[in-house]
Amino acid sequence: MRTIVVTGGAVGIGRATAERFRADGDAVVITGRREELLVKAAAEMGATPVVCDATDPEQVERLVRELPERVDVLVNNAGGNADLDRPDGDLRQLKANWIANLEANLISAVLTTTGLAPRLTTAVVHLGSIAGARSGSGSYGASKAALGLWSADVAAELGPRGITSNVVAPGFTAETEFFRGKLSDERRQMLLAATLTKREGQVGDIADTIHFLTTPAARHITGQLLHVNGGAHTTR
Ligand SMILES: NC(=O)c1ccc[n+]([C@@H]2O[C@H](COP(=O)([O-])OP(=O)(O)OC[C@H]3O[C@@H](n4cnc5c(N)ncnc54)[C@H](OP(=O)(O)O)[C@@H]3O)[C@@H](O)[C@H]2O)c1
């Protein structure tokens, strides 16, 4: 039995990932900011909930203190587009929006990975995005692109201990709170049409890929970014 930590594990991709590891009988810790939601989700899947805002150093330190001495896998899933519905306004607002996305998607992973690094044994998987591979998503895409680069530093640092660090970059994935209920049918159809497989990504698609990257079969894969988007963005 392994011990797995999934940040933002109560809903969406994080929840599907936590459930995938639970299906193996692993001990899973899920985190998030909304306590009630987190506790309910944890009870439903047999995981351990720890309330933690991954952008807050004190809360991450508290999380680390509550975790066992050995953590096999960390999934840095917490994140999202923090300025999805915040207009840029003046430069002060613009700066706040950029910092919010860098905190949500980059700093959250940096703090959690650094805090947990001494206890890790096997793998770190970070959630990137198709938005980090092409222009058009402003501060959100930039924050995911930065996460992808930094993950390779983690791979170099932890590699000598046999620990891998990779990014899984989803395209549009249904069954999540990512769009906060504001995804129009028209936009959804556009996202579907952009795939080569003509199917919508499901949270299980992402969870299965994350799980694979933590298995012995993936032991020689590190410092990589793996797109999971039905071909909506290809690397060649
Ligand atoms: N859905 C997509 O189409 C898509 C595409 C590409 C990439 N992604 C990425 O995939 C990851 C998961 O997204 P999702 O689609 O599953 O979104 P989601 O349904 O909105 O779930 C996000 C989860 O992260 C948690 N979270 C957010 N900020 C946090 C923080 N500061 N500290 C701790 N937990 C935090 C949320 O819980 P609380 O609010 O309770 O904290 C929630 O459990 C994100 O990194 C996202 O950027 C998603």
Side-chain angles (χ1 to χ4, degrees):
M1 184 179 75
R2 304 190 294 177
T3 296
I4 317 292
V5 175
V6 181
T7 66
V11 299
I13 292 167
R15 179 169 182 145
T17 303
E19 287 174 341
R20 177 64 191 83
F21 284 103
R22 283 295 298 135
D24 279 358
D26 290 328
V28 177
V29 176
I30 60 172
T31 73
R33 296 164 298 183
R34 288 169 289 173
E35 184 169 10
E36 201 175 322
L37 188 77
L38 185 73
V39 169
K40 184 168 179 286
E44 284 166 2
M45 71 174 90
T48 303
V50 180
V51 175
C52 176
D53 180 341
T55 67
D56 181 337
E58 277 80 37
Q59 293 191 41
V60 174
E61 282 176 354
R62 199 183 61 215
L63 166 70
V64 172
R65 282 197 298 273
E66 290 187 27
L67 291 172
E69 279 307 307
R70 180 185 132 170
V71 172
D72 299 291
V73 172
L74 167 62
V75 182
N76 283 314
N77 166 78
N81 193 342
D83 73 4
L84 195 60
D85 38 30
R86 287 161 57 172
D88 283 339
D90 64 7
L91 291 186
R92 275 153 292 273
Q93 187 60 51
L94 181 70
K95 177 180 172 180
N97 290 353
W98 273 76
I99 287 176
N101 256 330
L102 287 167
E103 284 193 338
N105 296 292
L106 176 64
I107 305 299
S108 57
V110 172
L111 294 179
T112 311
T113 306
T114 305
L116 269 180
R119 298 174 190 217
L120 286 170
T121 69
T122 307
V124 188
V125 183
H126 317 271
L127 266 295
S129 171
I130 191 173
R134 55 193 192 186
S135 60
S137 300
S139 59
Y140 176 63
S143 68
K144 291 297 194 186
L147 176 68
L149 187 59
W150 173 76
S151 168
D153 283 359
V154 177
E157 191 185 323
L158 302 185
R161 289 168 48 203
I163 301 166
T164 60
S165 170
N166 292 291
V167 175
V168 170
F172 167 58
T173 307
E175 310 165 303
T176 73
E177 294 181 357
F178 183 87
F179 294 95
R180 303 194 200 115
K182 291 182 180 162
L183 183 66
S184 68
D185 285 345
E186 194 185 8
R187 175 93 177 119
R188 195 169 181 142
Q189 286 308 317
M190 275 175 55
L191 291 166
L192 173 62
T195 66
L196 304 180
T197 51
K198 305 305 166 198
R199 68 181 281 277
E200 282 189 346
Q202 305 292 324
V203 291
D205 300 329
I206 312 304
D208 284 343
T209 307
I210 292 168
H211 181 266
F212 162 69
L213 287 171
T214 74
T215 62
R219 62 190 161 270
H220 211 45
I221 303 173
T222 195
Q224 307 302 317
L225 185 148
L226 186 52
H227 287 284
V228 185
N229 56 39
H233 171 77
T234 61
T235 53
R236 286 288 182 276

